[in-house]
Amino acid sequence: MKIKAIITGATGMVGEGVLFECLKHPDVEQVLVINRKPGGLSHPKLKEIIHKDFFNLEPIASQLAGYNACYFCLGVSSVGMSQEDYKRTTYDLTLHFAQTVAQHNPDLTFCYVTGAGTNEQGRMAWARVKGATENALMRLFPKAYMFRPGFMKAVPGQKNIKSFYKWIAWIYPLGRALFPKGFCTLEEVGQAMIHAAQKGYPKAVLEVKDIVTLART
């Protein structure tokens, strides 16, 4: 099965890592990235749309048709945000985008990057918002997969990496060896997303061990 994928968040660390994997994978034939600012990457498979307002997708909606996968890697930290603002930029924005994509591609596989500890009934506000987002996406798409990747090792050549990452990257080899359930690579995340669209997976919510297993399938 050949993949035609939409990727959001490609100017962030996770989205850029997934994009790199898609561009080099032989079964991915087209990639559409939707960015608020230019990503600065050129590739024969790649098309980029610059669009600042994800709450108003009408100007680009017709260009979202004809895809069979969406890798939603766009997200923000809840640190310093009110619960209302976090809900708007997490739940409301994601669902608006997903609903628009679903209208044009009802059989599309939707992969959403969420986080460990997500729970709509949880004690933490961010966990409840993320949990509500997960559940809404699983109701919207017959093929929806929630990715909870934990600590991720960057893909070689990435430029969209937080400045603090270079100070903590050394943790990865030790963490992977001692606590494999909490550590994976962005290469594995990208490969798992591609395989989810091609083959599916028995579970809709993928923890780190599931991501690694699916990447190797």
Side-chain angles (χ1 to χ4, degrees), residues 2-63:
K2 296 297 183 180
I3 302 296
K4 297 180 179 180
I6 298 171
I7 301 177
T8 67
T11 56
M13 178 176 166
V14 178
E16 185 182 47
V18 171
L19 173 60
F20 279 19
E21 287 306 303
C22 286
L23 292 180
K24 74 180 186 182
H25 198 289
D27 290 340
V28 179
E29 61 181 20
Q30 291 182 27
V31 180
L32 170 66
V33 296
I34 305 169
N35 293 328
R36 294 189 176 100
K37 60 182 180 180
L41 187 63
S42 178
H43 192 279
K45 294 182 183 181
L46 181 63
K47 176 183 178 181
E48 181 181 53
I49 296 175
I50 305 301
H51 186 73
K52 295 184 180 297
D53 187 1
F54 275 56
F55 287 100
N56 178 20
L57 296 169
E58 185 175 351
I60 66 169
S62 62
Q63 299 180 66

Side-chain angles (χ1 to χ4, degrees), residues 94-95 98 110 112 132-141 144 146:
T94 303
L95 264 294
F110 197 95
Y112 176 60
T133 307
E134 284 187 348
N135 291 333
L137 291 171
M138 288 187 284
R139 290 192 295 268
L140 179 62
F141 292 98
M146 308 298 109

Side-chain angles (χ1 to χ4, degrees), residues 29 35 55 74 82 93 96 102 121 156 160 172 184 186 198 206 210:
E29 61 181 20
N35 293 328
F55 287 100
L74 183 66
S82 68
L93 184 149
H96 179 69
Q121 307 302 321
N160 294 309
Y172 178 83
C184 65
L186 270 170
Q198 290 182 311
L206 283 73
D210 300 300

